[in-house]
Amino acid sequence: MIIFLTIIHVIVCLFLIGVILLQQGKSADLAGAFGGQGSQTAFGPRGAANLLTKLTTWSAIIFMLTSIGLFVLIARHNGPRSVLEGTKAAPTAPAKPGK
C-alpha cells in the first residue's frame, strides 16, 4: 500500500507542477506589462475559475491527502520509537533503611 500511495503521490506532484506552470499569471495581459490593473479591485481582476484552476485545486487536495496518508502508513509500519529505546538502564542500588 505504501508503494502504491507513493506512486500516486509522485504522479500527482508532477501533474501539479505541470498545471501550475501552464497557468497564465494574473497580470499577463498588456496592461500588466506597464504596471496597470484591469480594474479597481483590491487584488486585480479575477475572472471565473477555468479548467486549469480547478485542476490545480483538486490536484493540491489529492497531494495533501496522499502526504497525510503516507505519513500515517509509514508511522504505523515503523512502529512507535522512543529516544531511550536503545539505552541500557543503569543499575540502581537498593535503598538503605534510615536509622
Side-chain angles (χ1 to χ4, degrees):
M1 185 67 173
I2 293 175
I3 295 172
F4 174 72
L5 204 55
T6 304
I7 292 170
I8 296 297
H9 187 71
V10 170
I11 291 171
V12 170
C13 288
L14 295 174
F15 182 76
L16 187 60
I17 290 169
V19 170
I20 289 174
L21 289 177
L22 284 176
Q23 287 186 16
Q24 162 179 339
K26 189 166 56 171
S27 298
D29 55 354
L30 186 58
F34 298 106
Q37 295 292 328
S39 71
Q40 298 297 325
T41 59
F43 298 107
R46 184 77 179 166
N50 59 7
L51 179 65
L52 287 177
T53 306
K54 292 178 183 178
L55 288 174
T56 304
T57 302
W58 281 107
S59 57
I61 290 170
I62 295 170
F63 173 79
M64 288 181 223
L65 291 176
T66 56
S67 298
I68 293 170
L70 281 171
F71 175 76
V72 169
L73 286 176
I74 291 173
R76 283 187 189 168
H77 180 57
N78 290 340
R81 303 255 174 172
S82 172
V83 177
L84 301 175
E85 187 175 286
T87 61
K88 294 181 181 178
T92 58
K96 296 182 183 179
K99 293 184 181 182

